């Protein structure tokens, strides 16, 4: 039987339009939720991703704005810009699009974002809270993967989930979120001796390595759920994930397409985090359980 498509585009549209009543409620109180996306340099893929984020903001009624810094910008310039955004009470969510030019330390940049506005969930405080099972803003891609699986009623409790890739933005937080859902989690990476032997045992495979064709049909158990986070531009201009699409269609039970799978879900989670940040800012720290009191 051919695999069932996990339609991230459709689910993301539903999530984003479902945010409208929350945005309207904020506006009725005189609060316009606002997201600021900082781009350093002119990476073409980043420009496309940011356009998608701003379009989704518009769909939800959130104000989305892009701030550009030249590729020659120094780290101090980025930090100064973040301080302005932190101080601006009209801005509820701040993210710096990755990758940034060489010479700018992404950890120092993330550390400079007000944790209450860190809608990417990449500040050490927010990652630490995630580790403690007390997340405030969940990193958008792994959160989007879970929301997509939830929408298709794919349970995780007690199931063996294998994450291929250990990046800070996807692989590591993905493993934590799967653990939070009581999955049994294995993480594979470039030094894993026999990745195929591990992925073949998995009921759920999340692949996020950025290498087209990496996950082949004989590397998965028949009927497995395959979530493909990779977005790779092929020589002929087409986009492809990390998994071999035709193989997955015939062997997997469920599979996410690229494009139209995880990408739109990442954007939807970003908008949801921004709305939550605005709600929490409006409520004040003492009243907002999502914000907590530990800063
Ligand atoms: N670049 C690719 N994906 C992301 C993301 O989710 N957040 C940020 N900040 N940069 C990215």
């Amino acid at each position: 039987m051919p695999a069932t498509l996990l339609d991230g585009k459709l689910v993301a549209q539903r999530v984003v339009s479902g945010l409208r009543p929350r945005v309207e409620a904020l506006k009725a109180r005189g609060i316009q939720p606002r997201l600021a996306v900082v781009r350093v340099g002119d990476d073409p893929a980043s420009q496309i991703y940011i356009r998608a984020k701003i379009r989704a903001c518009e769909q939800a009624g959130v104000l989305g704005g892009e701030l550009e810094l030249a590729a020659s910008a120094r780290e101090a310039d980025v930090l100064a810009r973040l301080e302005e955004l932190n101080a601006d009470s009209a801005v509820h969510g701040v993210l710096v699009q990755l990758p940034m030019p060489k010479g700018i330390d992404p950890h120092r940049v993330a550390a400079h974002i007000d944790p209450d506005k860190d809608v990417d969930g990449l500040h050490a405080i927010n990652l630490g809270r995630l580790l403690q099972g007390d997340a405030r803003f969940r990193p958008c891609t792994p959160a989007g993967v879970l929301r997509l699986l939830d929408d298709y009623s794919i349970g995780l409790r007690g199931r063996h989930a294998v994450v291929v890739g250990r990046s800070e933005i996807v692989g590591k937080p993905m493993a934590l979120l799967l653990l939070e859902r009581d999955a049994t989690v294995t993480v594979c990476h470039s030094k894993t001796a026999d990745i195929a032997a591990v992925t073949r045992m998995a009921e759920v495979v999340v692949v996020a390595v950025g290498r087209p064709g990496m996950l082949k049909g004989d590397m998965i158990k028949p009927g497995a759920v395959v979530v493909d986070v990779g977005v790779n531009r092929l020589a002929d201009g087409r986009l492809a994930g990390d998994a071999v699409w035709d193989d997955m269609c015939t062997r997997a039970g469920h599979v996410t397409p690229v494009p139209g799978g995880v990408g739109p879900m990442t954007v939807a989670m970003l908008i949801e985090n921004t709305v939550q940040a605005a709600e929490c800012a409006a409520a004040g720290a003492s009243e907002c359980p999502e914000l907590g009191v530990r800063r």
Side-chain angles (χ1 to χ4, degrees), residues 35-49:
L35 170 70
V37 181
V38 178
R39 171 165 58 84
V40 190
D42 35 36
D43 178 60
S46 289
Q47 294 181 35
I48 293 168
Y49 293 143

Side-chain angles (χ1 to χ4, degrees), residues 49-80:
Y49 293 143
I50 292 172
R51 268 205 298 279
K53 289 171 182 179
I54 290 176
R55 214 178 309 124
C57 279
E58 285 162 8
Q59 280 159 12
V62 170
L63 207 58
E66 182 181 12
L67 294 149
E68 293 172 43
L69 278 88
S72 57
R74 293 162 309 144
E75 189 175 287
D77 301 325
V78 181
L79 301 187

Side-chain angles (χ1 to χ4, degrees), residues 1 17 23 35 63 76 81 86 135 151 195-196 199 229 274 285 294:
M1 207 166 66
S17 48
V23 172
L35 170 70
L63 207 58
R81 185 54 67 93
N86 287 344
D151 202 81
I195 292 180
T199 53
V229 181
T274 303
R294 293 182 297 111

Side-chain angles (χ1 to χ4, degrees), residues 53-198:
K53 289 171 182 179
I54 290 176
R55 214 178 309 124
C57 279
E58 285 162 8
Q59 280 159 12
V62 170
L63 207 58
E66 182 181 12
L67 294 149
E68 293 172 43
L69 278 88
S72 57
R74 293 162 309 144
E75 189 175 287
D77 301 325
V78 181
L79 301 187
R81 185 54 67 93
L82 291 176
E83 274 166 28
E84 286 166 19
L85 294 169
N86 287 344
D88 184 346
S89 62
V91 173
H92 306 100
V94 175
L95 82 84
V96 180
Q97 188 68 25
L98 300 171
M100 285 181 292
K102 283 196 180 63
I104 301 182
D105 179 355
H107 286 151
R108 269 202 295 269
V109 167
H112 234 75
I113 297 172
D114 178 345
D116 295 346
K117 299 189 181 188
D118 171 36
V119 284
D120 242 351
L122 299 179
H123 190 291
I125 285 183
N126 288 323
L127 286 172
R129 290 182 64 142
L130 176 66
L131 186 78
Q132 292 180 334
D134 180 28
R136 161 172 38 190
F137 298 117
R138 288 178 170 78
C140 301
T141 298
V145 169
L146 287 195
R147 183 66 67 85
L148 186 59
L149 297 180
D150 287 347
D151 202 81
Y152 284 84
S153 303
I154 295 170
L156 292 163
R157 179 179 288 185
R159 299 183 85 184
H160 187 193
V162 171
V163 180
V164 188
R166 56 174 161 178
S167 69
E168 230 162 79
I169 192 165
V170 183
K172 287 182 189 173
M174 186 77 248
L176 291 174
L177 286 180
L178 288 163
L179 277 175
E180 211 176 84
R181 294 296 192 86
D182 298 322
T184 300
V185 183
T186 308
V187 181
C188 295
H189 49 79
S190 54
K191 304 294 184 293
T192 299
D194 186 351
I195 292 180
V198 183

